[in-house]
Amino acid sequence: MIETDRLKIAYRKHTVLNETTLKLTKSYTILGNNGSGKSSFAKAISGLIPYSGSIKVNKKEVSQTDPKELAKLITYIPPKLESFDQNITLFEFVLLSRYAYKSRFFDFSHSDREITKKIINSLGLEPLASKSIGSLSSGESALALIATALATNSNIMIFDEPTANLDPKNSKKIAQIIKDLLKRHQILLITHNITF
């Protein structure tokens, strides 16, 4: 459950959202024009950008929640794959999403690696596991982002334009995966595709 109270998001003097109070208890699709604050809203409730007012995810104030604990509650999946290191492999990229479950001062566990492998295989990405993420196609990158969401296994998942720049075949595949996730997770879907 996501609750906001007098939420305000601003960039310098430009206010994107102002005095927004709402309660989201189920899955929703968020539609809106470019620049209307959809992505900013998603990033704020995921703890990725500053805000004023209040945002609570499952009764916990986002700004006061430990990042590892927040990652178990909510995950933001961006519209395109970006990484500080384009040379890391797909496997390593997805494994990093297990950070919330990683023991301090220790490497990722055998269980983390097995979960990562299982997720990659389930999405048909096994042949790409050792390839660099910088070499992936747009469709493969979209699936890699889905894999990171599955690896984090948050209660709430926010997908920001997950089918942007994808061909019809990959768009249909991503849409079906998200529909399957609706059975187990609260999903917020930001999209321009009204037929999604």
Side-chain angles (χ1 to χ4, degrees):
M1 181 173 64
I2 301 166
E3 299 173 278
T4 71
D5 183 30
R6 292 172 292 174
L7 171 63
K8 180 178 179 180
I9 304 170
Y11 299 96
R12 295 185 180 178
K13 294 182 179 180
H14 177 60
T15 299
V16 179
L17 289 178
N18 194 27
E19 297 292 316
T20 302
T21 298
L22 50 80
K23 188 182 214 180
L24 305 177
T25 58
K26 56 184 181 180
S27 296
Y28 294 89
T29 298
I30 301 174
L31 299 170
N33 297 328
N34 288 331
S36 60
K38 303 183 304 297
S39 293
S40 294
F41 173 70
K43 290 176 182 178
I45 63 179
S46 303
L48 299 175
I49 61 172
Y51 63 88
S52 59
S54 173
I55 303 175
K56 291 183 179 178
V57 175
N58 291 357
K59 303 293 185 181
K60 295 184 178 181
E61 184 65 41
V62 166
S63 63
Q64 298 172 10
T65 304
D66 177 78
K68 290 179 77 170
E69 288 305 308
L70 187 61
K72 294 176 184 178
L73 297 175
I74 190 165
T75 298
Y76 170 76
I77 300 92
K80 63 179 181 177
L81 190 156
E82 295 179 351
S83 173
F84 62 89
D85 184 356
Q86 291 289 302
N87 293 314
I88 66 171
T89 66
L90 171 62
F91 182 88
E92 293 166 334
F93 180 71
V94 178
L95 181 62
L96 287 172
S97 297
R98 294 293 302 168
Y99 179 78
Y101 305 92
K102 179 177 173 289
S103 298
R104 185 176 292 184
F105 306 123
F106 290 93
D107 196 3
F108 290 99
S109 69
H110 175 73
S111 175
D112 290 325
R113 294 176 184 280
E114 286 300 307
I115 289 169
T116 299
K117 182 179 178 180
K118 183 177 179 181
I119 289 168
I120 287 173
N121 293 353
S122 73
L123 294 173
L125 295 172
E126 184 177 7
L128 305 174
S130 60
K131 286 196 172 184
S132 70
I133 59 169
S135 69
L136 301 180
S137 70
S138 57
E140 291 163 350
S141 295
L143 287 172
L145 288 170
I146 297 279
T148 64
L150 295 174
T152 306
N153 197 33
S154 305
N155 294 329
I156 303 168
M157 297 181 179
I158 305 175
F159 291 90
D160 193 350
E161 296 290 349
T163 59
N165 303 314
L166 295 184
D167 59 47
K169 181 181 177 181
N170 280 310
S171 293
K172 186 176 180 180
K173 185 173 185 178
I174 296 296
Q176 186 57 55
I177 291 170
I178 293 174
K179 286 176 183 176
D180 290 341
L181 288 170
L182 283 167
K183 301 170 187 175
R184 305 181 301 278
H185 302 271
Q186 181 180 355
I187 303 293
L188 296 186
L189 173 65
I190 298 171
T191 182
H192 289 104
N193 184 0
I194 60 174
T195 63
F196 199 99

mmCIF file of all heavy atoms in Angstrom, residues 12-38:
data_model
loop_
_atom_site.group_PDB
_atom_site.id
_atom_site.type_symbol
_atom_site.label_atom_id
_atom_site.label_comp_id
_atom_site.label_asym_id
_atom_site.label_seq_id
_atom_site.Cartn_x
_atom_site.Cartn_y
_atom_site.Cartn_z
ATOM 1 N N ARG A 12 14.247 22.723 -8.554
ATOM 2 C CA ARG A 12 14.526 24.149 -8.427
ATOM 3 C C ARG A 12 13.221 24.916 -8.246
ATOM 4 O O ARG A 12 12.504 24.691 -7.300
ATOM 5 C CB ARG A 12 15.340 24.640 -9.626
ATOM 6 C CG ARG A 12 16.720 24.016 -9.697
ATOM 7 C CD ARG A 12 17.559 24.598 -10.800
ATOM 8 N NE ARG A 12 18.874 23.960 -10.830
ATOM 9 C CZ ARG A 12 19.806 24.242 -11.721
ATOM 10 N NH1 ARG A 12 19.585 25.173 -12.649
ATOM 11 N NH2 ARG A 12 20.976 23.626 -11.677
ATOM 12 N N LYS A 13 12.851 25.757 -9.188
ATOM 13 C CA LYS A 13 11.624 26.548 -9.021
ATOM 14 C C LYS A 13 10.418 25.916 -9.720
ATOM 15 O O LYS A 13 9.317 26.452 -9.668
ATOM 16 C CB LYS A 13 11.842 27.968 -9.556
ATOM 17 C CG LYS A 13 12.861 28.764 -8.756
ATOM 18 C CD LYS A 13 12.990 30.184 -9.299
ATOM 19 C CE LYS A 13 14.000 30.984 -8.469
ATOM 20 N NZ LYS A 13 14.143 32.370 -8.989
ATOM 21 N N HIS A 14 10.650 24.797 -10.378
ATOM 22 C CA HIS A 14 9.565 24.145 -11.119
ATOM 23 C C HIS A 14 8.922 23.048 -10.277
ATOM 24 O O HIS A 14 9.567 22.057 -9.927
ATOM 25 C CB HIS A 14 10.104 23.550 -12.422
ATOM 26 C CG HIS A 14 9.076 22.794 -13.210
ATOM 27 N ND1 HIS A 14 7.921 23.378 -13.693
ATOM 28 C CD2 HIS A 14 9.027 21.492 -13.577
ATOM 29 C CE1 HIS A 14 7.212 22.468 -14.332
ATOM 30 N NE2 HIS A 14 7.858 21.317 -14.283
ATOM 31 N N THR A 15 7.671 23.215 -9.917
ATOM 32 C CA THR A 15 6.937 22.219 -9.135
ATOM 33 C C THR A 15 6.271 21.222 -10.069
ATOM 34 O O THR A 15 5.512 21.594 -10.961
ATOM 35 C CB THR A 15 5.867 22.891 -8.253
ATOM 36 O OG1 THR A 15 6.523 23.795 -7.342
ATOM 37 C CG2 THR A 15 5.088 21.855 -7.458
ATOM 38 N N VAL A 16 6.561 19.947 -9.853
ATOM 39 C CA VAL A 16 6.016 18.880 -10.691
ATOM 40 C C VAL A 16 4.709 18.357 -10.101
ATOM 41 O O VAL A 16 3.715 18.189 -10.802
ATOM 42 C CB VAL A 16 7.030 17.725 -10.843
ATOM 43 C CG1 VAL A 16 6.451 16.603 -11.695
ATOM 44 C CG2 VAL A 16 8.332 18.231 -11.443
ATOM 45 N N LEU A 17 4.726 18.097 -8.806
ATOM 46 C CA LEU A 17 3.522 17.696 -8.083
ATOM 47 C C LEU A 17 3.390 18.571 -6.854
ATOM 48 O O LEU A 17 4.391 18.900 -6.214
ATOM 49 C CB LEU A 17 3.605 16.225 -7.654
ATOM 50 C CG LEU A 17 3.510 15.142 -8.735
ATOM 51 C CD1 LEU A 17 3.665 13.764 -8.105
ATOM 52 C CD2 LEU A 17 2.205 15.219 -9.485
ATOM 53 N N ASN A 18 2.158 18.915 -6.494
ATOM 54 C CA ASN A 18 1.964 19.805 -5.357
ATOM 55 C C ASN A 18 0.742 19.395 -4.545
ATOM 56 O O ASN A 18 -0.340 19.189 -5.107
ATOM 57 C CB ASN A 18 1.803 21.246 -5.849
ATOM 58 C CG ASN A 18 1.932 22.247 -4.721
ATOM 59 O OD1 ASN A 18 2.593 21.978 -3.714
ATOM 60 N ND2 ASN A 18 1.299 23.387 -4.866
ATOM 61 N N GLU A 19 0.940 19.232 -3.247
ATOM 62 C CA GLU A 19 -0.162 18.924 -2.334
ATOM 63 C C GLU A 19 -0.966 17.694 -2.780
ATOM 64 O O GLU A 19 -2.192 17.680 -2.773
ATOM 65 C CB GLU A 19 -1.099 20.133 -2.206
ATOM 66 C CG GLU A 19 -0.441 21.367 -1.614
ATOM 67 C CD GLU A 19 -0.079 21.189 -0.137
ATOM 68 O OE1 GLU A 19 -0.902 20.656 0.625
ATOM 69 O OE2 GLU A 19 1.030 21.589 0.248
ATOM 70 N N THR A 20 -0.238 16.652 -3.182
ATOM 71 C CA THR A 20 -0.893 15.434 -3.677
ATOM 72 C C THR A 20 -1.104 14.448 -2.533
ATOM 73 O O THR A 20 -0.147 13.999 -1.908
ATOM 74 C CB THR A 20 -0.043 14.776 -4.779
ATOM 75 O OG1 THR A 20 0.160 15.724 -5.834
ATOM 76 C CG2 THR A 20 -0.728 13.539 -5.333
ATOM 77 N N THR A 21 -2.354 14.132 -2.268
ATOM 78 C CA THR A 21 -2.705 13.175 -1.220
ATOM 79 C C THR A 21 -3.523 12.048 -1.839
ATOM 80 O O THR A 21 -4.542 12.297 -2.494
ATOM 81 C CB THR A 21 -3.524 13.857 -0.109
ATOM 82 O OG1 THR A 21 -2.725 14.886 0.497
ATOM 83 C CG2 THR A 21 -3.943 12.844 0.960
ATOM 84 N N LEU A 22 -3.030 10.828 -1.674
ATOM 85 C CA LEU A 22 -3.745 9.682 -2.236
ATOM 86 C C LEU A 22 -3.381 8.396 -1.505
ATOM 87 O O LEU A 22 -2.443 8.353 -0.718
ATOM 88 C CB LEU A 22 -3.466 9.547 -3.738
ATOM 89 C CG LEU A 22 -2.013 9.562 -4.231
ATOM 90 C CD1 LEU A 22 -1.348 8.217 -4.039
ATOM 91 C CD2 LEU A 22 -1.974 9.924 -5.703
ATOM 92 N N LYS A 23 -4.145 7.373 -1.788
ATOM 93 C CA LYS A 23 -3.932 6.062 -1.196
ATOM 94 C C LYS A 23 -4.082 5.014 -2.298
ATOM 95 O O LYS A 23 -5.129 4.947 -2.947
ATOM 96 C CB LYS A 23 -4.951 5.810 -0.088
ATOM 97 C CG LYS A 23 -4.708 4.554 0.715
ATOM 98 C CD LYS A 23 -5.819 4.402 1.754
ATOM 99 C CE LYS A 23 -5.303 3.776 3.015
ATOM 100 N NZ LYS A 23 -6.375 3.637 4.026
ATOM 101 N N LEU A 24 -3.032 4.248 -2.527
ATOM 102 C CA LEU A 24 -3.043 3.217 -3.562
ATOM 103 C C LEU A 24 -2.955 1.848 -2.887
ATOM 104 O O LEU A 24 -1.928 1.506 -2.317
ATOM 105 C CB LEU A 24 -1.862 3.409 -4.519
ATOM 106 C CG LEU A 24 -1.739 4.780 -5.190
ATOM 107 C CD1 LEU A 24 -0.484 4.847 -6.044
ATOM 108 C CD2 LEU A 24 -2.957 5.087 -6.037
ATOM 109 N N THR A 25 -4.033 1.101 -2.963
ATOM 110 C CA THR A 25 -4.084 -0.185 -2.265
ATOM 111 C C THR A 25 -4.070 -1.377 -3.208
ATOM 112 O O THR A 25 -4.028 -2.517 -2.764
ATOM 113 C CB THR A 25 -5.356 -0.271 -1.402
ATOM 114 O OG1 THR A 25 -6.499 -0.106 -2.247
ATOM 115 C CG2 THR A 25 -5.358 0.809 -0.334
ATOM 116 N N LYS A 26 -4.105 -1.111 -4.512
ATOM 117 C CA LYS A 26 -4.075 -2.204 -5.485
ATOM 118 C C LYS A 26 -3.228 -1.782 -6.678
ATOM 119 O O LYS A 26 -2.534 -0.763 -6.625
ATOM 120 C CB LYS A 26 -5.492 -2.568 -5.916
ATOM 121 C CG LYS A 26 -6.296 -1.406 -6.471
ATOM 122 C CD LYS A 26 -7.723 -1.826 -6.793
ATOM 123 C CE LYS A 26 -8.508 -0.651 -7.371
ATOM 124 N NZ LYS A 26 -9.902 -1.037 -7.706
ATOM 125 N N SER A 27 -3.268 -2.538 -7.742
ATOM 126 C CA SER A 27 -2.488 -2.221 -8.930
ATOM 127 C C SER A 27 -3.201 -1.165 -9.766
ATOM 128 O O SER A 27 -4.429 -1.146 -9.852
ATOM 129 C CB SER A 27 -2.257 -3.481 -9.762
ATOM 130 O OG SER A 27 -1.477 -4.413 -9.033
ATOM 131 N N TYR A 28 -2.384 -0.287 -10.390
ATOM 132 C CA TYR A 28 -2.942 0.805 -11.191
ATOM 133 C C TYR A 28 -2.092 1.019 -12.432
ATOM 134 O O TYR A 28 -0.889 0.739 -12.435
ATOM 135 C CB TYR A 28 -2.954 2.127 -10.406
ATOM 136 C CG TYR A 28 -3.879 2.138 -9.219
ATOM 137 C CD1 TYR A 28 -3.431 1.719 -7.968
ATOM 138 C CD2 TYR A 28 -5.191 2.576 -9.333
ATOM 139 C CE1 TYR A 28 -4.279 1.719 -6.862
ATOM 140 C CE2 TYR A 28 -6.042 2.592 -8.242
ATOM 141 C CZ TYR A 28 -5.575 2.156 -7.011
ATOM 142 O OH TYR A 28 -6.418 2.161 -5.928
ATOM 143 N N THR A 29 -2.736 1.559 -13.463
ATOM 144 C CA THR A 29 -2.036 2.067 -14.635
ATOM 145 C C THR A 29 -2.089 3.579 -14.574
ATOM 146 O O THR A 29 -3.151 4.161 -14.348
ATOM 147 C CB THR A 29 -2.697 1.580 -15.945
ATOM 148 O OG1 THR A 29 -2.622 0.151 -15.997
ATOM 149 C CG2 THR A 29 -1.985 2.151 -17.157
ATOM 150 N N ILE A 30 -0.937 4.222 -14.747
ATOM 151 C CA ILE A 30 -0.845 5.680 -14.671
ATOM 152 C C ILE A 30 -0.600 6.217 -16.075
ATOM 153 O O ILE A 30 0.424 5.920 -16.698
ATOM 154 C CB ILE A 30 0.281 6.117 -13.719
ATOM 155 C CG1 ILE A 30 0.040 5.548 -12.314
ATOM 156 C CG2 ILE A 30 0.389 7.638 -13.679
ATOM 157 C CD1 ILE A 30 1.170 5.795 -11.343
ATOM 158 N N LEU A 31 -1.550 6.988 -16.571
ATOM 159 C CA LEU A 31 -1.449 7.613 -17.885
ATOM 160 C C LEU A 31 -1.280 9.117 -17.727
ATOM 161 O O LEU A 31 -1.759 9.698 -16.751
ATOM 162 C CB LEU A 31 -2.707 7.330 -18.710
ATOM 163 C CG LEU A 31 -3.023 5.864 -19.015
ATOM 164 C CD1 LEU A 31 -4.416 5.739 -19.614
ATOM 165 C CD2 LEU A 31 -1.991 5.286 -19.969
ATOM 166 N N GLY A 32 -0.621 9.743 -18.685
ATOM 167 C CA GLY A 32 -0.472 11.193 -18.620
ATOM 168 C C GLY A 32 0.475 11.687 -19.688
ATOM 169 O O GLY A 32 1.260 10.923 -20.255
ATOM 170 N N ASN A 33 0.407 12.972 -19.948
ATOM 171 C CA ASN A 33 1.285 13.586 -20.946
ATOM 172 C C ASN A 33 2.731 13.584 -20.474
ATOM 173 O O ASN A 33 3.014 13.488 -19.271
ATOM 174 C CB ASN A 33 0.848 15.024 -21.223
ATOM 175 C CG ASN A 33 -0.539 15.097 -21.828
ATOM 176 O OD1 ASN A 33 -0.942 14.203 -22.567
ATOM 177 N ND2 ASN A 33 -1.270 16.156 -21.515
ATOM 178 N N ASN A 34 3.648 13.702 -21.424
ATOM 179 C CA ASN A 34 5.055 13.865 -21.071
ATOM 180 C C ASN A 34 5.211 15.109 -20.206
ATOM 181 O O ASN A 34 4.596 16.141 -20.480
ATOM 182 C CB ASN A 34 5.915 14.009 -22.336
ATOM 183 C CG ASN A 34 6.044 12.713 -23.092
ATOM 184 O OD1 ASN A 34 5.995 11.638 -22.511
ATOM 185 N ND2 ASN A 34 6.216 12.812 -24.397
ATOM 186 N N GLY A 35 6.019 14.992 -19.147
ATOM 187 C CA GLY A 35 6.259 16.134 -18.281
ATOM 188 C C GLY A 35 5.187 16.372 -17.242
ATOM 189 O O GLY A 35 5.215 17.381 -16.532
ATOM 190 N N SER A 36 4.233 15.441 -17.130
ATOM 191 C CA SER A 36 3.138 15.638 -16.172
ATOM 192 C C SER A 36 3.483 15.141 -14.766
ATOM 193 O O SER A 36 2.678 15.273 -13.849
ATOM 194 C CB SER A 36 1.868 14.937 -16.669
ATOM 195 O OG SER A 36 2.089 13.541 -16.829
ATOM 196 N N GLY A 37 4.676 14.547 -14.586
ATOM 197 C CA GLY A 37 5.123 14.149 -13.253
ATOM 198 C C GLY A 37 4.987 12.666 -12.937
ATOM 199 O O GLY A 37 5.222 12.249 -11.806
ATOM 200 N N LYS A 38 4.654 11.847 -13.935
ATOM 201 C CA LYS A 38 4.466 10.407 -13.696
ATOM 202 C C LYS A 38 5.746 9.746 -13.188
ATOM 203 O O LYS A 38 5.744 9.064 -12.158
ATOM 204 C CB LYS A 38 4.006 9.704 -14.981
ATOM 205 C CG LYS A 38 2.734 10.238 -15.600
ATOM 206 C CD LYS A 38 2.299 9.448 -16.812
ATOM 207 C CE LYS A 38 3.337 9.340 -17.902
ATOM 208 N NZ LYS A 38 3.713 10.640 -18.487
#
